[in-house]
Amino acid sequence: MTAVLSISKEESASHRRVSGISASPLSAEARLGSRGGSRAHPAKAEATRAPESTKRDQLLETAWRLFYRDGYHATGIDRILADAGVAKMTLYKHFRSKEELILAVLEKRSQLFCESFSRYLQAKKRTPDQQLLAVFEWLISWIKGKEFRGCFFQKAMAEYQELQDPIHQAALAHKAAFYGEIRRLVAEAGLSRAKGLADQLALVVEGAIVNSHAIGSSTPALHAKAAAATLIKDARCSRNGR
């Protein structure tokens, strides 16, 4: 497959939606902000407007949008609550700290990412080699989306740089799972140097995301697809002894 595959409006929209922590033993109130100053409306009144599950989803969606646009450290809890229209007590019911909120957002976005990626690969019948190229076609469709601002998980690891930080670990786990999918596709294609090829393709993906975001263009992603096609072709020829 050499042409970029088209995807449905529903699938494309779903994909575009995809993709400071304190670990000190403070109370939830201290971690999330003082009750002084502007006080939130009572949670009881809020509960009459929407069920708790909806409020939790509302918090996650709003937090993701603000974290993705403005950064994790730059986005405070009060800003999230104001944009989500959720009382502070509701936040306490679901998350004990900003760290827990960020981890929940990462988990949710990872789930949506995996679902979107899986739907794209399964949308059409493809040969194993075409499946590998479809990874880059999917990447291009995401980067061309209006909401693209780089990788949510790369941003998390950049802001929480300590390797043992729970947020860094959660973002890294998402990347590891994605790399695992690339390794699976390489293995199914029966290509030579499977592990090395998978690592190379994963690096090409990451570079395409960073460079496309840096210059505000999908051109690096298009170059990444061409580079991937060359790597796959070389691996196929090597396996066949040519």
Side-chain angles (χ1 to χ4, degrees):
M1 180 190 323
T2 56
V4 176
L5 294 178
S6 61
I7 57 176
S8 68
K9 292 182 179 179
E10 179 181 355
E11 183 179 5
S12 178
S14 174
H15 178 57
R16 290 196 300 271
R17 289 190 298 268
V18 168
S19 287
I21 291 176
S22 172
S24 60
L26 299 175
S27 66
E29 181 176 344
R31 286 192 296 261
L32 294 174
S34 170
R35 291 178 182 273
S38 177
R39 298 180 64 87
H41 292 292
K44 182 177 180 180
E46 176 191 57
T48 63
R49 296 193 296 271
E52 286 303 310
S53 59
T54 300
K55 287 297 181 181
R56 185 180 189 278
D57 292 340
Q58 200 169 326
L59 278 167
L60 291 176
E61 183 65 20
T62 302
W64 165 73
R65 176 172 52 81
L66 293 175
F67 289 149
Y68 189 45
R69 187 187 69 192
D70 302 330
Y72 296 89
H73 291 303
T75 302
I77 287 295
D78 287 342
R79 174 65 189 281
I80 295 171
L81 293 175
D83 278 32
V86 173
K88 192 167 287 187
M89 284 305 298
T90 298
L91 181 65
Y92 294 154
K93 290 181 180 179
H94 299 293
F95 310 105
R96 293 176 298 177
S97 65
K98 186 176 179 181
E99 176 183 36
E100 283 197 2
L101 175 60
I102 293 175
L103 289 172
V105 172
L106 287 169
E107 180 181 6
K108 181 65 175 179
R109 301 318 298 184
S110 182
Q111 177 187 345
L112 293 175
F113 177 100
C114 292
E115 290 173 355
S116 173
F117 182 65
S118 179
R119 280 198 305 273
Y120 190 94
L121 291 185
Q122 296 173 13
K124 295 183 179 181
K125 291 183 179 179
R126 300 179 175 93
T127 65
D129 286 10
Q130 289 171 342
Q131 286 266 28
L132 277 172
L133 282 181
V135 172
F136 292 87
E137 291 156 3
W138 175 85
L139 182 69
I140 291 167
S141 72
W142 170 42
I143 289 174
K144 284 185 174 181
K146 293 181 179 179
E147 294 182 0
F148 176 73
R149 291 174 177 269
C151 176
F152 189 65
F153 302 91
Q154 286 178 350
K155 291 173 184 284
M157 288 185 284
E159 289 204 41
Y160 297 92
Q161 298 181 24
E162 291 296 329
L163 298 184
Q164 299 308 313
D165 189 294
I167 292 176
H168 190 103
Q169 287 291 310
L172 183 62
H174 166 82
K175 290 294 185 182
F178 180 59
Y179 299 163
E181 281 299 293
I182 294 179
R183 287 193 296 272
R184 178 183 65 80
L185 293 172
V186 169
E188 289 181 356
L191 298 172
S192 64
R193 302 179 294 105
K195 185 180 184 305
L197 176 61
D199 289 344
Q200 289 172 341
L201 293 175
L203 284 172
V204 172
V205 168
E206 294 300 317
I209 295 172
V210 171
N211 287 349
S212 292
H213 181 221
I215 66 174
S217 169
S218 62
T219 298
L222 295 169
H223 291 330
K225 183 191 172 188
T230 298
L231 289 170
I232 293 168
K233 180 180 178 181
D234 289 348
R236 178 67 67 193
C237 290
S238 176
R239 182 180 183 277
N240 294 336
R242 287 182 277 169

